[in-house]
Each structure stands twice: as structure tokens, then as C-alpha cells.
Amino acid sequence: MREQMVDRSDLRGDCGNCFGLCCVALPFARSADFAIDKGAGRPCPNLGEDHRCGIHARLRQEGFTGCTVYDCFGAGQKVSQVTFGGRDWRTADREHVRRVVEVFPVVRQLHELLWYLTEALALPAARPLRPELRRALDTTERLTRQTPEELTALDLPAHRQDVNVLLLRTSELARAGTPGRRKDRRNADLMGARLKGADLRGANLRGAYLIAADLTGADLRGADLIGADLRDTDLTDADLTGALFLTQPQVNAARGSAGTRLPASAVRPAHWTAGR
């Protein structure tokens, strides 16, 4: 089940080659995650002229926890440098900003699919599906390089569904080798669930609501976590080694410790506690 080491550096946000698109194109509402309301296409007041966040080092203290969780999967630099050829929205007209607002979320979703497909291709158990996975990855990459007009006209739900069928088959193959009973908790409501020390090896947790659940010391090796909501989930000392389709935003949204074991593709968030 162990995933091979793969380079996904181009599927991580590179703010140095982006025009702060997530701070401009995306809307957010005043809540526990954001201190203010902001509409799509309106720059965040914390965004500097250099396209950098003026409060990046203290986002959580200033009430912008949502920003510390977000990752564009590299879509920001793709849209900035490829889709719009390095044209800065600050020096463009309102029509350009409108198109950025429409295109950026589409490319972000496509890049998320690229993240999953790249991982799927690296799984030894997915060998029988590699030709199909490779075609899906190549098609998705090609779609990210379309014109703004083509991207806004794209039937994204249909493409996501096609890719999801492949990812489901990949998950089944990868989890088939997990010893013991593989729990199926797909889309389960596990908000606040007490799962301390639970054996969730190879479990299907796709789309599960694990908000504020206690997974302290839980064994999640090889579990499928695609789309699982891990906001405020306690992963202290949990083992997520080899967890399938875990993303950095999911990790950032959870709580963990030095004892939390993560897949090689995940970076330990700076806000996690030192643990025991």
C-alpha cells in the first residue's frame, strides 16, 4: 500500500509566482474562520501591493484561521503565469478581474484532481489502473492549460465524476490489502465522535464529517480520507501513515501533535502543539 515518493511541488501554492489570487478571487464571510466579509473580486484589505499578506505571521491571532487552512494546489501560479500570461490584475480592467474570479476556482479544482491522480499513480496496488489513471491525469493537465473562455465553459462536474470513478477503484485496490475489517463510513456523520484509539485501518472515510471528533491515538493507516472534513479534529498521536488522498488543507484544519504520524506528502502545520 505504501506510496512511492513523487514530486508534487508544482501542486502546492507558490505565492512568489502568483498575484495573490486567493486573496482577490475568493469570497469569504465573517465567521470563526474569517474576521470580515469579503466579496469575490474584491481584494482582501490585508493584501499588500506586493501581493503578499500583511498579517501572514499572525493570521490566526487576527481571526483569519481560514487562510491558514487554504491551499490552491498550485492553481494560483498556473492562472497567474499561464492562463493570463503573467498579467497582473492590479493593472488590468474590471473585465480581466471578472474572468480571474471565474477561472481561478475551476483551475483550483482541476489541480486538486491532479493531486489525487498523481498519488493514485504512485500506489503499487493501482498498477492495473495505471494506463487509465495516466490518461485521466494527462487530460486534466491539458484542461488546466485551456483559455479562460474554455475553462469557464468546462463541464467540471462531469470531469470530476469521471476521475472519481477511477479514484474509487484505486482506493478499493489499495485498501484490499489492509488486515482486519475495513470499515465503510463513507459520508458518515461523525461530528464530535469519540474515536480515541480506534482501529480505522483501511477504512472508507470519504466525505465523512469528522469535525471536532476525538481521534487521539487512532490508527488511520491506509484509510481513504478524500473529502473528509477534518476541521478541529484531534489527531494527537494518531497514525495516518499511508492514508489515501489526504491533502494539506485537511491536515491544516485539524489539531495534532509531534506524535502524529503523517504521510510523506504532508507537512506538519506550525500551529500544531508540540505534544507529549
Side-chain angles (χ1 to χ4, degrees):
M1 180 182 296
R2 186 184 302 274
E3 65 175 295
Q4 302 170 9
M5 291 297 292
V6 292
D7 181 13
R8 286 187 276 190
S9 56
D10 60 337
L11 297 177
R12 298 182 188 274
D14 177 6
C15 298
N17 285 303
C18 177
F19 297 126
L21 298 192
C22 63
C23 305
V24 180
L26 303 180
F28 50 74
R30 186 189 297 270
S31 62
D33 293 322
F34 298 101
I36 60 173
D37 293 316
K38 188 192 83 65
R42 180 163 65 88
C44 174
N46 297 309
L47 185 66
E49 292 295 325
D50 59 354
H51 302 295
R52 296 302 182 100
C53 175
I55 61 168
H56 186 267
R58 58 182 193 280
L59 280 167
R60 286 181 168 263
Q61 296 91 318
E62 296 284 345
F64 290 87
T65 301
C67 297
T68 68
V69 171
Y70 182 81
D71 188 275
C72 71
F73 294 98
Q77 60 262 31
K78 173 70 71 65
V79 173
S80 294
Q81 304 300 332
V82 178
T83 311
F84 291 106
R87 188 182 184 192
D88 188 343
W89 57 268
R90 287 191 185 277
T91 59
D93 55 26
R94 295 185 65 178
E95 175 61 19
H96 176 84
V97 176
R98 185 189 66 78
R99 291 197 298 163
V100 169
V101 169
E102 291 180 341
V103 167
F104 176 64
V106 175
V107 178
R108 197 268 185 187
Q109 291 191 58
L110 290 172
H111 268 237
E112 184 176 0
L113 293 179
L114 289 176
W115 177 277
Y116 297 141
L117 288 166
T118 302
E119 177 174 330
L121 277 165
L123 293 169
R127 186 180 300 274
L129 297 176
R130 281 180 182 165
E132 293 175 78
L133 288 166
R134 171 55 63 183
R135 285 195 293 272
L137 186 143
D138 290 344
T139 297
T140 305
E141 171 60 28
R142 177 179 56 78
L143 291 175
T144 70
R145 296 180 178 277
Q146 292 188 121
T147 65
E149 293 74 21
E150 290 171 325
L151 283 164
T152 54
L154 175 66
D155 187 349
L156 186 56
H159 182 66
R160 287 187 67 96
Q161 178 58 31
D162 290 342
V163 172
N164 189 51
V165 170
L166 268 178
L167 295 178
L168 277 168
R169 292 166 62 192
T170 299
S171 173
E172 290 167 359
L173 288 173
R175 293 183 296 111
T178 305
R181 180 168 172 265
R182 297 181 297 278
K183 298 179 177 64
D184 187 357
R185 307 307 301 272
R186 185 177 183 181
N187 298 323
D189 184 353
L190 298 171
M191 292 178 61
R194 297 180 179 179
L195 297 168
K196 184 175 182 178
D199 183 357
L200 295 168
R201 287 175 295 171
N204 183 354
L205 292 167
R206 285 173 154 252
Y209 295 94
L210 287 159
I211 302 170
D214 182 4
L215 287 171
T216 302
D219 192 342
L220 291 142
R221 286 177 291 176
D224 186 343
L225 293 168
I226 195 167
D229 194 333
L230 300 182
R231 283 177 292 170
D232 205 32
T233 304
D234 192 347
L235 297 177
T236 299
D237 296 336
D239 190 348
L240 291 91
T241 306
L244 301 173
F245 308 124
L246 181 69
T247 66
Q248 194 63 46
Q250 287 174 302
V251 174
N252 292 346
R255 293 182 288 124
S257 69
T260 305
R261 300 182 64 186
L262 294 170
S265 59
V267 177
R268 192 175 304 277
H271 63 269
W272 278 16
T273 63
R276 297 185 296 274

